Each structure stands twice: as C-alpha cells, then as structure tokens.
Amino acid sequence: MWISKNRNLQKKPGKNNILFLPALFLTGKSHDPSGRKRRLPVSAGSPFLRLPAGTLFNTVFSVIFIFSYTFLPWKATCQDSFLTEEEMLRTVLHPGKERRVFGRSLHDPSLSPVYYTHYSLAVQTVLWQDPVDYDFFRKGEGERLEPFVSNANRSAGSALQLSAMYLQSALVYLCFGEEIMAARRILQAFRTFTDIPAAPADPQYLKIKGVFIFLAGNIPRPLLSLVPGLSFSPEGYTPHLEKAASMYPENSIFRLEIHLLHALCLLADDRPLIAGSLLASAGGTESLPALIRLVSLKKAGKNEEVIRGSGYWNIRSDIPWFEYLLGEAWLRKGSEKAGACLDRFLERYRGRHYRKSALLKRAWVALLAGRDNEYLHFLDRVKTKGYQMTEADRQAVVEAGYSMGIHRGLLHARLLFDGGYHYEALQVMQQIRPEEITRSGRSVLEYTYRMGRILQKLGRDEAALKSFDQTIKLGMEAPWYYPAYAAWQAGQICEKSGNTPKAGEYYRLCLQMKTLEYRASIRRKARRSLRSLGTPDAGNN
C-alpha cells in the first residue's frame, strides 16, 4: 500500500485507499488572503450546463470516492484523511505516480476536496499523458463538475472554481487532441466567469481574469470574435496575476500557485528568463514549480543550470520529465550521458505523446557519436512509435524524414546554440566548408539562419540581420521553418532598436511564408508581436 512522502498525509491501517496523482493548472477557490478557509453552501440549479448525476450523489459523495474504484484493475490507493485547502494544494503541486483523492466529510458542505481532486487528476493526466489516466479523468468529470454547476448561480466561490475546472479539463482535452471538447470547455469557463460580479479584491477572481486575458491574446482574431466579451487587453495578464499573488503572504502556497500559472503564461509568450526568475524568487520545495522553472531555464539556454536542477530532482521525484530534461541537456552539451537518460525516460514514461520527439533526440545521440546503425534504428522507431498529435511529435516525423541527409556539424551547432553555448556553436559553424552544404537547399537555409541566431545572441545585430535577410531571400517559398523564423527574429531586432515600422514589415512577412514546420507556433508569435505594436489588422494575416 502507498505511503505518502508528505508527513501530513498519513494513511490509517486497514483501509483501502484511492490515490490521485497531483496537479498543474488552476485553483478557482475564493479565498481569504489571510489564509482562513471559507465554507461554501451547496445549492441547486444550473444555468450553464446540465450534466447527469447519480441519484444518491449529493448524499453519499465521499462514500463513492472512497470505495467506487477499490476493485478496478489499477489498484489505486485512497487518501481518507481530511486535509486543509493548503495541504491539498501543496499535494497537488508535488505530484507522484499514484492517483490521489481528497476525503470529504458528509457533514462538511465545502466542495474544496472535489475541486482539488479534479485539479489533481488534470495535472496527473497532463504530466504522464497516459490513455488510462485520460479515460479515468473523463469518466469522473461529470460527477465532479455537477455540484459546482448546481451551486454556481448562488455562490461566487463555486462559480470561480467551476470556471477553473473547465479550464483544467480543456488543458487535458488539448493534450489528447480533443480540440472541439477543449474549445467547448473554454467557452463554458468564459460564460461561467462573465456571470460572476467583478471582485477586484478577490485574488482568485483576479487570477482567472488574468488567464482569460492571456487566452484572448493567443486566439486568432477571427475566432476571438465568436466569443463576445472576450477581448485582448493591451495591459496584458501580468498586472492581474501580480496583484493576485501580492494579496497572499510571502510563503503562502496559494501565492506560489499563482506564480506557477504566471510562469506558464510567460513561457507561452516566449519570456522564459522572466518565468524562471519568477519561480526562483517564489521559493518552495514542490516538484511541479521546480519542473516549470527548469523548462524555463532550458528555453532560455541555461543548460548548466538545467543539468544541475534536473539531476537533483530526478532522484527526488516520480515525474519522468526530469529525466527527459536531463537527457536533452546532456545532448546539447554533446555528452553520451544523454542516451541513458532518454532511454530511462522512454521506459518510465507511460504516454504516447512526445515519444517521437524523445526518440529523435535519442537518434541524434547516436549520430553525434558516429554510430550510424543505431542512429537509423531510432529513426525507424520515430516513424512507428507514439502518436503524432503534438507539434513536437509532428516535427520529429518531418525531421526523421530529412535526417538521411542531415549535416552532423549543423546539428551539433544547433544543439550547442540551444544550450546557450554560443561561442562553441560559432566555432563549429566556422569549421563547416561551403561545399558540404550546397548540395541541400535545406542545409543552406539552416546555415544562414543558424549563423544569424548565433550572431544575434553574441550582440552582433547588424551581421545577424544580414544573415536573416539572406535566409528570407533564399527561402520565401520553402516549406522549412528557417525563413519564417528568420523574418520574426529580424522583426525582433528592429523592434529592439526602435524601428517599429520595419519590425511590422518583418512580422507580416513571417505570416506570408509558406512554411509547414512549426507553422502554428510561428504564426502565433508573429500575430502576438504585431499586436504588441498596436497593428490593427494583425488578426487578418
């Protein structure tokens, strides 16, 4: 039977326990910033959504949760002690392998244990990407939502939690390619939230508002027009999330959770350094914020910090992504240690998403080491293993198709650059002879683009801009991502120097490119950049 690593989660002998794995996305509870827990009355009625509920649901809810899954084949364990909201959230932010459910007293009208159970399940499903967990999440979703739907029209706290639960469900559905269901849940979340009276003194209200502003900033204008009332705010989501966090004490777990959510928004907006700094200043010993901080450091090219942090957490957490980050970091440094880390990730990770991406990186380990047969073996596995729903996996299949003619030096320079080893990457690039790459149009574009990126990072913006212009000129009709990204990076250089009209030209040029690689993320960046310049027709490109 499972024993919690958290000393606050002691299980009683002789009990069968269900366990929910912890969590990642939002808390919608209306809290007193001082930390006192509010009790919410249970009421009936649902203007937003009608979901089927068992006849005895409202009277035997805790009995259902404690016993309904005892005899299922995956032998989950149940946490039957009653925890405070702080303890439940802390558990959610420190995930483990087993599912966790939070006990609810029959005499306690608070729905918080139900909320945190949903929260925990959503994060577990997103982190482990296991189809079994996904089925488990979907089967119980209606029963978890029902009491909040019934109570939302009478309690602002329940309505906030319901709005957050819809967003958590949307995240799960997106991870499994259910885009229609995800859109439906986002719309339900928005409709629920807009019926709540404005509460600028409620940190949880401000948090959800910040999330919707973030979503509005990342939805194409034509789609945004289909949701009346949801609009992009020039001030952005940051002021709302910062104010919400400031309303909690310095070491509050609720403050840490808002910082985590803020960091995820910053990551999506390509601001990894700010995201990493935010989580570093927030402190805490929970594994989920540590994971997101390491992802931020990876995107910022702080490879040595990723190696240290991933190595530390890899032996202290069940989350397989620490192993993945460690393997990717060793690969960027050119170390064969990457192979063992990625092998362990592929063995431990139960999901099918991102498996192709991991296998491609495993193939690169073999290629850089000169083991061509092993390299071809993993390329074949990229084509046959895992799903192809995420952009990373689709790109892995594309690159596996090109990889028969991949240039080893260009790959090495790319990995060094991604790890933040810019001078080392420049040295590798300078050793590549022109005749080695002229046989491949893709290699020529990669060379000019990569040289531009290296020079940009080394502060040589004029030389970088010339390389980007060369990439654009040679690749306007090319399907590869280099010309489009070159246009966006050129726009970034012009915007930094104050030449906003020229920056806008580059961003619009980026949207005109016929790239098939990373198309969604490239276009999202270009649209967001145009919006930041105040360009009125950004959504029409």
Side-chain angles (χ1 to χ4, degrees):
M1 302 192 63
W2 177 82
I3 304 294
S4 173
K5 296 178 182 177
N6 186 336
R7 64 174 177 268
N8 295 322
L9 303 179
Q10 299 299 318
K11 74 180 200 57
K12 300 176 182 178
K15 292 281 187 181
N16 288 319
N17 291 344
I18 318 171
L19 228 106
F20 275 102
L21 265 188
L24 174 122
F25 194 51
L26 288 169
T27 306
K29 175 71 176 173
S30 181
H31 293 292
D32 187 326
S34 66
R36 295 189 298 272
K37 181 167 66 174
R38 295 182 184 176
R39 299 296 186 188
L40 300 176
V42 177
S43 63
S46 169
F48 306 110
L49 180 65
R50 298 290 178 185
L51 292 173
T55 310
L56 301 180
F57 178 80
N58 291 325
T59 56
V60 294
F61 179 84
S62 62
V63 176
I64 291 174
F65 263 136
I66 293 172
F67 296 108
S68 65
Y69 299 113
T70 303
F71 300 104
L72 289 177
W74 43 79
K75 271 304 185 189
T77 331
C78 156
Q79 176 55 51
D80 61 351
S81 60
F82 303 123
L83 306 177
T84 66
E85 289 188 55
E86 289 81 359
E87 289 170 328
M88 285 187 282
L89 181 55
R90 199 171 297 279
T91 303
V92 157
L93 297 182
H94 194 67
K97 284 183 180 178
E98 302 87 352
R99 296 190 185 97
R100 289 183 181 135
V101 69
F102 301 106
R104 181 186 177 207
S105 169
L106 292 173
H107 306 290
D108 184 355
S110 171
L111 295 174
S112 292
V114 188
Y115 171 78
Y116 285 105
T117 290
H118 187 87
Y119 192 176
S120 177
L121 270 179
V123 176
Q124 179 206 2
T125 307
V126 168
L127 282 178
W128 270 264
Q129 304 274 314
D130 191 335
V132 174
D133 292 332
Y134 178 56
D135 290 342
F136 190 91
F137 178 87
R138 292 193 65 171
K139 286 178 182 177
E141 184 191 26
E143 287 186 340
R144 293 189 299 273
L145 292 173
E146 193 275 340
F148 295 91
V149 173
S150 299
N151 203 35
N153 61 332
R154 295 190 180 184
S155 166
S158 287
L160 278 172
Q161 285 185 312
L162 178 61
S163 184
M165 291 169 80
Y166 282 144
L167 289 176
Q168 292 159 9
S169 292
L171 184 64
V172 172
Y173 288 125
L174 278 175
C175 285
F176 282 84
E178 298 280 355
E179 295 179 357
I180 294 177
M181 280 297 298
R184 183 179 300 170
R185 289 290 183 257
I186 291 173
L187 184 60
Q188 289 170 324
F190 172 72
R191 288 174 175 169
T192 302
F193 180 74
T194 53
D195 282 346
I196 302 172
D202 186 340
Q204 295 300 314
Y205 176 89
L206 292 173
K207 182 182 67 175
I208 303 296
K209 184 175 181 180
V211 170
F212 278 117
I213 291 174
F214 165 76
L215 290 174
N218 285 274
I219 295 175
R221 289 284 177 87
L223 293 180
L224 191 60
S225 65
L226 300 177
V227 189
L230 183 61
S231 60
F232 173 72
S233 170
E235 66 181 356
Y237 52 85
T238 292
H240 300 281
L241 295 175
E242 286 181 344
K243 184 178 179 181
S246 69
M247 297 172 79
Y248 287 112
E250 189 69 32
N251 296 321
S252 167
I253 190 66
F254 300 108
R255 183 186 181 103
L256 175 61
E257 185 222 13
I258 294 173
H259 282 321
L260 174 61
L261 180 59
H262 192 180
L264 288 169
C265 294
L266 289 167
L267 269 177
D269 271 352
D270 297 301
R271 292 189 277 176
L273 276 176
I274 302 175
S277 298
L278 180 65
L279 289 176
S281 64
T285 58
E286 289 72 29
S287 57
L288 192 55
L291 176 65
I292 302 306
R293 179 172 177 266
L294 288 171
V295 172
S296 303
L297 292 171
K298 182 198 85 166
K299 287 183 173 291
K302 304 292 184 180
N303 207 57
E304 295 298 325
E305 293 184 54
V306 175
I307 290 173
R308 288 193 297 271
S310 300
Y312 174 87
W313 278 104
N314 197 36
I315 60 176
R316 290 169 173 82
S317 171
D318 294 327
I319 300 176
W321 293 102
F322 289 115
E323 193 83 77
Y324 179 88
L325 286 172
L326 185 58
E328 190 174 36
W330 283 125
L331 174 62
R332 290 176 169 184
K333 197 172 183 179
S335 171
E336 285 202 56
K337 294 179 183 178
C341 295
L342 291 169
D343 286 341
R344 286 192 295 268
F345 168 77
L346 290 165
E347 182 180 350
R348 291 174 55 197
Y349 176 55
R350 297 177 293 176
R352 294 294 178 266
H353 303 291
Y354 297 98
R355 189 166 290 275
K356 292 180 181 293
S357 178
L359 285 166
L360 180 64
K361 290 177 173 60
R362 183 63 183 84
W364 288 345
V365 174
L367 177 64
L368 293 178
R371 298 192 295 270
D372 292 343
N373 289 336
E374 182 181 331
Y375 166 64
L376 295 173
H377 165 73
F378 280 106
L379 280 189
D380 287 339
R381 292 185 64 189
V382 170
K383 299 168 187 176
T384 58
K385 302 293 182 182
Y387 296 155
Q388 199 174 327
M389 292 182 179
T390 67
E391 190 171 55
D393 287 325
R394 289 194 296 269
Q395 183 62 22
V397 173
V398 171
E399 295 205 28
Y402 296 141
S403 290
M404 291 301 293
I406 196 170
H407 190 282
R408 202 166 297 180
L410 284 174
L411 174 62
H412 191 196
R414 169 186 176 181
L415 293 169
L416 286 169
F417 173 84
D418 289 343
Y421 307 110
H422 303 133
Y423 286 106
E424 293 86 344
L426 181 60
Q427 290 174 352
V428 172
M429 292 288 286
Q430 290 171 340
Q431 293 171 8
I432 298 175
R433 297 189 303 274
E435 60 269 20
E436 295 178 26
I437 59 173
T438 51
R439 290 174 297 176
S440 167
R442 183 176 187 270
S443 294
V444 171
L445 291 175
E446 182 176 4
Y447 182 88
T448 55
Y449 169 76
R450 188 66 54 206
M451 185 62 80
R453 290 291 285 129
I454 294 170
L455 294 171
Q456 182 184 16
K457 285 293 184 180
L458 294 177
R460 297 162 60 180
D461 285 349
E462 269 191 50
L465 202 54
K466 289 181 181 178
S467 285
F468 290 144
D469 284 337
Q470 187 179 3
T471 308
I472 295 167
K473 182 179 178 180
L474 293 173
M476 274 297 293
E477 303 295 323
W480 308 298
Y481 70 87
Y482 309 114
Y485 261 129
W488 185 76
Q489 293 293 351
Q492 293 282 287
I493 292 175
C494 293
E495 186 175 350
K496 186 179 73 170
S497 67
N499 190 351
T500 53
K502 188 65 175 176
E505 290 180 21
Y506 276 119
Y507 295 145
R508 282 186 285 272
L509 185 62
C510 177
L511 288 170
Q512 295 168 13
M513 295 286 186
K514 297 183 178 181
T515 177
L516 300 178
E517 300 177 343
Y518 298 116
R519 181 179 176 84
S521 60
I522 292 172
R523 294 176 69 81
R524 185 167 60 248
K525 288 179 180 181
R527 286 195 180 99
R528 189 165 55 236
S529 296
L530 282 167
R531 289 183 186 182
S532 71
L533 297 178
T535 304
D537 60 345
N540 299 324
N541 291 296

